Amino acid sequence: MTIKDVAERSGVSVSTVSRVLNNHPDVSEAARSRVMETVRKLHYVPNNSARDLVRPQTAAIGLVVRGAGNPFFSGVIRAVEQEINAAGYTMVLHQIRSGEDELQAGAELARSKRLLGVILLGGCFDYTPEQTAALGIPFVCCSFTNSFGSLNKDAYSSVSIDDQAEAYRAVTFLIRQGHKNIAILLDSKQDHSISELRYRGYCQALLDAGIAPDTALVAEAGTFDMAAAYEGTCRLLRSQAEFTALFVIADSMAVAAMKALHDHGLRVPEDCSVIAIDGIDMSAYTIPTLTTLIQPVGAMGKESVHSLVDIIEGRGGNRHIQLRTALRPGGSVGAGPVFTSANDVKIKP
Amino acid sequence: MTIKDVAERSGVSVSTVSRVLNNHPDVSEAARSRVMETVRKLHYVPNNSARDLVRPQTAAIGLVVRGAGNPFFSGVIRAVEQEINAAGYTMVLHQIRSGEDELQAGAELARSKRLLGVILLGGCFDYTPEQTAALGIPFVCCSFTNSFGSLNKDAYSSVSIDDQAEAYRAVTFLIRQGHKNIAILLDSKQDHSISELRYRGYCQALLDAGIAPDTALVAEAGTFDMAAAYEGTCRLLRSQAEFTALFVIADSMAVAAMKALHDHGLRVPEDCSVIAIDGIDMSAYTIPTLTTLIQPVGAMGKESVHSLVDIIEGRGGNRHIQLRTALRPGGSVGAGPVFTSANDVKIKP
DNA sequence: TTGAAAGCGCTAACAT
DNA sequence: ATGTTAGCGCTTTCAA
């Protein structure tokens, strides 16, 4: 079932069929309707591979997303799509599973679809120039940046938050509320990724306040999923470590952590405050509402597209944009315990 | 940057390059390493469109998913992929956005990738034979079925739960707990889809228990998202309608509903019980844990693949499999109010 | 073991 | 307005 079949059945040439299919103006009404009729009758559907192969540079931008179920991504994807369309381009979305290589996927997509640029959503923090060379077109890392890699700054663009600084901010917020014994729930201390960066911010905030980080207060879940976060929090609680506040590196994990605290008979925030980073939908519906630093997903998508389009259209080179989160006060953070000497805790101005 | 460039740079013909790239045996070590070297140096990445165009029937099965962020789907996707691989096929995942037509997308995918069959995840309940004809290959509706369409039973396969019966079950569970005034939170009463089916089950359960459904107890959110669910619940509460239990057609909406109840000073389950259907991850972490009917996502994915593979391999025709949910008791359902005459409520045995 | 050449399905000149 | 034809990048006969 090809365009040729349609042509024969309609008594016209393949070019006429092609013209009809692509809404070209120079086709007689008679031919057009005859072709359409055949298309319907034969249930003809064009082969996109063949189209992609032959069509000249379609103004398309790719979006490679790793991690299908990440709720944080949906908002970004929406924004990216909207912005790409607004800029007069077409978005080609490509989801990959955790096992796959986003650079490889991006490169293949770029070739097949003749992309002008690629946005990577949820990739690695440690690319080498060698790895990214395969892409061959401008790309922007959206929601992450090359913190652990060796990419040259002007070889790629990025739009992200400063993970370390934001974690610092979250923990400092807890300290300002009077907390001294602050635990952290993370994926891993050394994942060469988001978890490690936020851990650094946590440590730094403590140090700057004159509090010595205590490894007994670090709970490593090993992954980002809720079950692991729940378990990690339980282990922390069973360890008898003392803390009045918990910084969780991701909202979804924080939701599970709050449940674990509750199941152990602890009240949030009376017995333990909880703060996180991300701002996914669901964390607005916990009881109490999770206090969190909301990532600007809309702006993130928007800026990613802008950076890319500017490069594509020759308006300058690679940029690295750092966005700030917004604190969403919830009910999950309360005041810390009252000390006789309040100056136990030093707070940076 | 094509295979031709690689061939020239390597001093061999394109066929040799192709052989190397496809791991054919009849290539000399010398040629192979020379080609690989060039590939690396040139950062050559093959054009998949060209490959797809020319390659004979690759044993691939498509999975078209509508609704990127649906947490209910992630489990199904995982199961489907695993099962497709286990059956010796390759999965081709294609995510589409809400605006797109899954049948169109499926048909195009089928042509481009020469698929043997397609699994539709999250499609419409009202296809007509005319619409599905374009697919041209066996397909199975996963997690839904043609309840409102006019498809011939043996023209497609489906694996789903009986939405109406499961809703009936959920509501009957509430009735058995002693509830009479049971509200429902749904997308729409007539969406020709999941919401309508579950609404029917709700009404039927009430009727069978001798309770007249009351439209004042029906809250339509208009969509499935949490914000709308929260608002819908608030409207219901402001309406002063009296109810001691709430049936929500989806877990995610129930999470928002519980929050709304809490924000209005109502305790779950003391003042209002809540039950839902789905069993997504997050509903296990609400406080109290949401009582829900868990959809068998793993089995759903598995059965979908089996049905399809059986057809592909000539082991019989289209099947329609109905799976049952499993009740996960949570803390969100409590006993209903005590009546002087308990036989006010008739319960079917 | 290798190369030449014939397409895969489609679009876009270039004719007519 | 319509048909003819040359590729797009790749794999795969078929010869050598």
Side-chain angles (χ1 to χ4, degrees):
Chain A
M1 172 54 29
T2 75
I3 199 175
K4 214 172 144 191
D5 300 311
V6 178
E8 281 167 9
R9 290 284 245 279
S10 314
V12 296
S13 72
V14 291
S15 15
T16 299
V17 176
S18 178
R19 286 187 189 102
V20 172
L21 261 27
N22 294 282
N23 292 311
H24 282 256
D26 301 336
V27 189
S28 68
E29 246 334 299
R32 183 180 301 280
S33 60
R34 209 129 40 81
V35 169
M36 290 309 280
E37 171 66 17
T38 316
V39 164
R40 212 168 299 116
K41 206 151 38 188
L42 261 45
H43 302 299
Y44 167 77
V45 175
N47 182 321
N48 277 330
S49 291
R51 285 187 148 174
D52 290 337
L53 192 58
V54 76
R55 270 204 278 235
Q57 192 99 328
T58 50
I61 290 174
L63 174 61
V64 176
V65 186
R66 127 166 291 136
N70 192 329
F72 168 67
F73 290 161
S74 2
V76 183
I77 296 176
R78 229 189 327 276
V80 166
E81 177 175 27
Q82 187 177 319
E83 216 56 27
I84 286 182
N85 291 336
Y89 294 85
T90 301
M91 176 176 96
V92 180
L93 204 179
H94 189 81
Q95 294 256 13
I96 58 172
R97 282 143 286 159
S98 357
E100 289 178 82
D101 175 356
E102 67 272 16
L103 292 177
Q104 178 64 24
E108 288 179 7
L109 199 67
R111 299 292 181 286
S112 311
K113 306 286 184 183
R114 295 180 148 63
L115 301 180
L116 267 30
V118 179
I119 295 173
L120 266 22
L121 185 52
C124 297
F125 286 66
D126 52 3
Y127 299 136
T128 63
E130 186 54 39
Q131 295 172 318
T132 58
L135 267 178
I137 48 173
F139 68 99
V140 15
C141 300
C142 180
S143 84
F144 67 105
T145 188
N146 200 230
S147 318
F148 298 95
S150 53
L151 255 38
N152 200 309
K153 278 285 177 198
D154 52 56
Y156 75 108
S157 287
S158 72
V159 178
S160 63
I161 61 168
D162 182 335
D163 285 292
Q164 184 169 340
E166 298 296 347
Y168 185 99
R169 202 174 145 206
V171 174
T172 299
F173 180 78
L174 292 174
I175 296 171
R176 290 227 170 97
Q177 300 298 310
H179 295 279
K180 287 179 63 180
N181 296 309
I182 301 172
I184 180 172
L185 174 62
L186 39 60
D187 164 21
S188 149
K189 277 186 284 190
Q190 288 140 209
D191 66 347
H192 258 45
S193 182
I194 198 167
S195 195
E196 180 166 348
L197 290 172
R198 294 185 183 175
Y199 176 60
R200 285 188 193 165
Y202 159 82
C203 292
Q204 196 57 52
L206 293 180
L207 288 170
D208 285 358
I211 304 170
D214 178 358
T215 51
L217 294 180
V218 178
E220 287 186 281
T223 76
F224 278 86
D225 67 57
M226 300 180 81
Y230 183 88
E231 257 317 306
T233 309
C234 289
R235 274 197 305 277
L236 186 65
L237 290 167
R238 279 196 304 267
S239 78
Q240 305 290 333
E242 292 204 4
F243 56 96
T244 62
L246 175 64
F247 165 56
V248 189
I249 63 157
D251 270 25
S252 59
M253 294 176 77
V255 172
M258 284 170 72
K259 177 73 169 176
L261 289 166
H262 175 269
D263 289 353
H264 280 254
L266 296 176
R267 293 160 305 161
V268 175
E270 293 84 351
D271 300 313
C272 181
S273 290
V274 177
I275 193 169
I277 299 181
D278 271 354
I280 60 176
D281 273 7
M282 124 196 207
S283 72
Y285 298 96
T286 55
I287 299 170
T289 301
L290 181 66
T291 296
T292 192
L293 297 181
I294 300 189
Q295 294 212 48
V297 286
M300 235 169 210
K302 199 165 172 168
E303 292 299 337
S304 298
V305 175
H306 284 179
S307 298
L308 197 52
V309 169
D310 280 351
I311 295 173
I312 290 171
E313 299 180 352
R315 281 191 299 281
N318 282 299
R319 286 202 290 272
H320 296 273
I321 299 174
Q322 222 160 46
L323 267 18
R324 297 218 53 187
T325 61
L327 173 71
R328 182 189 66 204
S332 69
V333 173
V338 181
F339 292 102
T340 40
S341 54
N343 51 6
D344 270 2
V345 179
K346 297 164 212 142
I347 297 173
K348 260 195 153 179
Chain B
M1 175 50 31
T2 73
I3 199 175
K4 214 172 143 190
D5 300 311
V6 178
E8 281 167 8
R9 289 285 242 281
S10 314
V12 296
S13 72
V14 290
S15 7
T16 299
V17 176
S18 178
R19 287 189 188 100
V20 172
L21 261 27
N22 294 280
N23 292 311
H24 281 258
D26 300 338
V27 189
S28 66
E29 248 331 300
R32 182 179 303 279
S33 60
R34 210 128 39 80
V35 169
M36 291 309 280
E37 173 65 16
T38 315
V39 164
R40 210 169 301 118
K41 205 152 36 189
L42 260 45
H43 302 299
Y44 167 78
V45 175
N47 182 320
N48 277 329
S49 290
R51 285 188 147 174
D52 290 337
L53 192 59
V54 75
R55 270 205 278 236
Q57 193 97 330
T58 51
I61 290 174
L63 175 60
V64 176
V65 185
R66 123 165 291 136
N70 192 330
F72 167 67
F73 289 162
S74 3
V76 183
I77 296 176
R78 227 187 332 273
V80 166
E81 177 176 27
Q82 187 177 320
E83 215 56 28
I84 286 181
N85 291 336
Y89 294 85
T90 300
M91 177 174 94
V92 179
L93 205 180
H94 188 81
Q95 293 256 14
I96 58 172
R97 282 145 286 159
S98 358
E100 290 178 81
D101 176 355
E102 68 273 17
L103 292 177
Q104 180 64 25
E108 287 178 7
L109 199 67
R111 299 293 181 288
S112 309
K113 306 286 184 182
R114 294 181 149 63
L115 302 179
L116 269 27
V118 178
I119 294 173
L120 266 23
L121 186 52
C124 297
F125 286 66
D126 53 3
Y127 299 136
T128 62
E130 186 54 37
Q131 294 172 319
T132 57
L135 268 177
I137 48 172
F139 69 99
V140 14
C141 301
C142 180
S143 83
F144 68 103
T145 187
N146 198 231
S147 317
F148 298 95
S150 53
L151 255 37
N152 200 309
K153 278 285 176 198
D154 52 56
Y156 75 108
S157 287
S158 74
V159 178
S160 63
I161 61 166
D162 181 335
D163 284 293
Q164 183 169 341
E166 298 296 347
Y168 184 99
R169 202 174 145 205
V171 175
T172 299
F173 181 77
L174 292 174
I175 295 172
R176 290 227 171 98
Q177 300 297 312
H179 295 279
K180 287 178 63 179
N181 296 311
I182 302 172
I184 180 172
L185 173 63
L186 39 60
D187 165 20
S188 149
K189 277 186 286 191
Q190 288 140 209
D191 66 346
H192 259 45
S193 182
I194 198 168
S195 195
E196 181 166 347
L197 291 171
R198 294 185 183 176
Y199 177 58
R200 284 187 193 168
Y202 160 81
C203 291
Q204 196 58 52
L206 293 179
L207 287 170
D208 285 357
I211 303 171
D214 179 357
T215 52
L217 295 180
V218 178
E220 288 185 281
T223 75
F224 278 85
D225 67 56
M226 300 180 82
Y230 183 88
E231 258 317 306
T233 309
C234 289
R235 275 198 305 277
L236 186 66
L237 290 166
R238 280 197 303 268
S239 76
Q240 306 289 331
E242 293 204 3
F243 56 95
T244 62
L246 176 62
F247 165 55
V248 189
I249 63 156
D251 271 24
S252 59
M253 295 176 76
V255 172
M258 284 171 71
K259 178 73 168 174
L261 289 167
H262 175 268
D263 288 353
H264 280 255
L266 297 176
R267 294 160 304 163
V268 175
E270 294 83 353
D271 300 314
C272 182
S273 291
V274 177
I275 193 169
I277 299 181
D278 272 355
I280 61 177
D281 273 5
M282 120 195 207
S283 73
Y285 298 96
T286 57
I287 298 171
T289 301
L290 180 65
T291 296
T292 193
L293 297 181
I294 299 187
Q295 295 211 47
V297 287
M300 235 169 211
K302 199 165 172 170
E303 291 299 336
S304 297
V305 175
H306 283 178
S307 297
L308 197 52
V309 169
D310 280 351
I311 295 173
I312 291 170
E313 299 181 351
R315 277 191 303 281
N318 281 299
R319 285 202 291 270
H320 296 275
I321 299 175
Q322 222 160 46
L323 266 19
R324 298 215 56 187
T325 62
L327 173 72
R328 182 189 66 206
S332 69
V333 173
V338 180
F339 293 102
T340 40
S341 55
N343 51 6
D344 271 4
V345 180
K346 295 165 213 143
I347 297 172
K348 262 196 152 182

